[in-house]
Amino acid sequence: MTVRHFLADDDVTPAEQAEILTLAGELKKDPYREKTFAGPQSVAVLFDKTSTRTRFSFDAGIAALGGNPIVVDTGSSQMGKGETLQDTGAVLSRFVSMIIWRTFAQSNLEQMAETATVPIINALTDDMHPCQILADLFTCVEHLTDNHTPRELAGKKAIYLGDGANNMANSYMLGFATAGMDMTICAPAGFQPEQPFVDRARAIGRSTGATITVTDDVAAVAGQDVVITDTWVSMGQENDGKDRTTPFLPYRVTEEMMDTAGKDAIFLHCLPAYRGNEVTAGVIDGPRSRVFDEAENRLHAQKALMVWLAAHQPGA
Ligand code: CP
Ligand code: NVA
C-alpha cells in the first residue's frame, strides 16, 4: 500500500491543489465542519528548527479537526542521536494518524517516508516550504480574483525578490507553476535558484501555462500582481560564511518599487520579517501588504490539506 504524502509542492496535481484551496475557503467560513481526527486521533508535529506560525497553526488546526496534536521539539526526543529515521517513521506510525515535520534536508522526510504508514507533511525543509505556498495561493485567491476560485489564478503574475536560492523561492516556482501563475525569481548572482528546481517548475508550466523567469533585474517588478520577499538569512544559514546583506540591497522591497508593480498589486512575506532589510516598514505595514491574512491562512490551508490528504489515502 502506497501512502500519499505531501513532501513537495508538486506532490499534488493542479486539479488537486485547486481542490485543497477551495476546501481552505470553505473551512475558513465553517471552521469546525470537518472532524478528520475525531477520536481523538493524535498527530505528531515535529520541529528540528524554530517556529511560531507553523507550530500554532498546526496545533490549533489539528484541535479544530477533533484531534490531539503532539508537538515536539525534536531536541528533546531521541531523534538525531543515531536512531534511524526509518525506525522513527515506523514507530510514530503506531501512535499517530499523520506526521508533520520541519527539518533540514529534504532527504530526511524521504527517509522517514520509507517506513511511515501514515501521511507525512513537509512543514519546511532547506529545499521547500509547501504549506506556506498553499496559504499564499489561498491569499491570492482571496485578494486577486473576482469570484474567489483557484481557477482564476491562472495567468496572474508574481515576483519574488531576494534570496532566490532558498526554500521559499523553490516552493514559489513549483507551487505557483502548479496554479498556472507566472513566477519570476529576481535575485543577485550567486543567489539564484538551482537549475533542477527551475527545470521542474518549467515542466509543470508546460501543462498549466505558467512561465518561470529568473533574472537579476528589479525592473521585472513592473506590472506584477504579487510582490514577495523573504529573509536574507534562512534558518541554518546564519554562519554559512556568505555576505547575506550587500548583494541583496538592490532587492529590498520599497514603496518606490511597489509603485512600479500593477496598480492593485499586493505584497506577501511568509514571516518572520526583518524591516529595513528585505522590506521597508512602509511596505509591510502599508496598504498593499496582506501579510497577516497570509499568516492566518496557514491555519485554513493546512486544515484543508490534512482533511484532503486523509481522504486521499489508498482505501480511504
Ligand atoms: N512562515 C513560517 O513558517 O513561520 P514560522 O517559522 O514562524 O513557522
Ligand atoms: N526561508 C526562511 C523561511 C522561514 C519561514 C527560512 O527557512 O528560515
Side-chain angles (χ1 to χ4, degrees):
M1 185 175 93
T2 311
V3 182
R4 189 98 197 251
H5 302 290
F6 185 66
L7 307 186
D9 301 270
D10 51 353
D11 278 350
V12 292
T13 66
E16 291 172 341
Q17 185 194 65
E19 285 174 24
I20 294 165
L21 296 176
T22 301
L23 184 55
E26 292 170 13
L27 293 181
K28 189 165 185 172
K29 290 197 190 84
D30 190 1
Y32 306 106
R33 183 185 91 183
E34 300 289 339
K35 292 294 170 213
T36 297
F37 299 125
Q41 299 168 49
S42 292
V43 176
V45 191
L46 309 175
F47 291 94
D48 296 356
K49 297 176 177 175
T50 51
S51 168
T52 299
R53 280 142 288 270
T54 305
R55 181 174 193 140
F56 278 83
S57 56
F58 270 112
D59 198 336
I62 291 160
L65 295 175
N68 172 52
I70 305 177
V71 183
V72 173
D73 287 323
T74 56
S76 67
S77 77
Q78 303 288 16
M79 291 174 71
K81 294 183 176 167
E83 184 173 21
T84 67
L85 292 171
Q86 289 85 350
D87 282 0
T88 305
V91 169
L92 291 184
S93 299
R94 303 293 179 105
F95 301 133
V96 301
S97 297
M98 218 171 262
I99 298 168
I100 321 294
W101 189 15
R102 168 169 289 191
T103 186
F104 290 87
Q106 185 75 14
S107 60
N108 288 348
L109 296 177
E110 289 157 5
Q111 286 177 49
M112 190 180 279
E114 288 172 21
T115 53
T117 57
V118 298
I120 301 174
I121 291 177
N122 178 351
L124 180 147
T125 63
D126 295 342
D127 281 358
M128 287 177 235
H129 194 3
C131 289
Q132 182 71 51
I133 265 44
L134 291 176
D136 286 25
L137 287 169
F138 178 45
T139 308
C140 291
V141 170
E142 286 186 318
H143 291 283
L144 292 180
T145 68
D146 295 330
N147 298 310
H148 305 309
T149 62
R151 200 169 31 82
E152 295 168 89
L153 291 177
K156 302 282 186 202
K157 291 157 62 73
I159 187 167
Y160 168 95
L161 300 107
D163 183 3
N166 76 3
N167 43 16
M168 290 306 307
N170 291 335
S171 274
Y172 280 120
M173 289 192 292
L174 296 172
F176 278 39
T178 302
M181 290 177 68
D182 293 336
M183 190 69 223
T184 297
I185 304 295
C186 184
F191 295 95
Q192 295 194 339
E194 289 173 18
Q195 197 58 39
F197 287 108
V198 178
D199 293 343
R200 189 164 149 184
R202 284 189 176 141
I204 296 166
R206 281 195 279 281
S207 68
T208 64
T211 60
I212 303 295
T213 305
V214 179
T215 180
D216 62 4
D217 186 355
V218 297
V221 173
Q224 297 283 341
D225 299 306
V226 193
V227 180
I228 313 168
T229 189
D230 183 22
T231 180
W232 293 338
V233 188
S234 286
M235 290 178 277
Q237 297 177 334
E238 296 81 358
N239 300 305
D240 69 358
K242 295 182 182 169
D243 177 358
R244 291 191 163 273
T245 303
T246 318
F248 295 128
L249 292 175
Y251 299 87
R252 172 180 296 147
V253 180
T254 63
E255 291 93 316
E256 296 71 35
M257 190 187 276
M258 286 302 294
D259 286 342
T260 71
K263 85 176 164 43
D264 297 322
I266 61 171
F267 172 76
L268 297 180
H269 188 311
C270 65
L271 307 179
Y274 301 93
R275 288 169 176 74
N277 283 351
E278 72 270 13
V279 61
T280 62
V283 170
I284 195 167
D285 299 321
R288 289 183 277 211
S289 175
R290 298 290 180 274
V291 299
F292 297 115
D293 286 338
E294 179 187 8
E296 178 191 332
N297 285 338
R298 295 291 302 280
L299 174 68
H300 310 300
Q302 289 161 191
K303 282 173 67 188
L305 173 64
M306 291 187 284
V307 171
W308 188 93
L309 201 54
H312 287 78
Q313 295 304 314

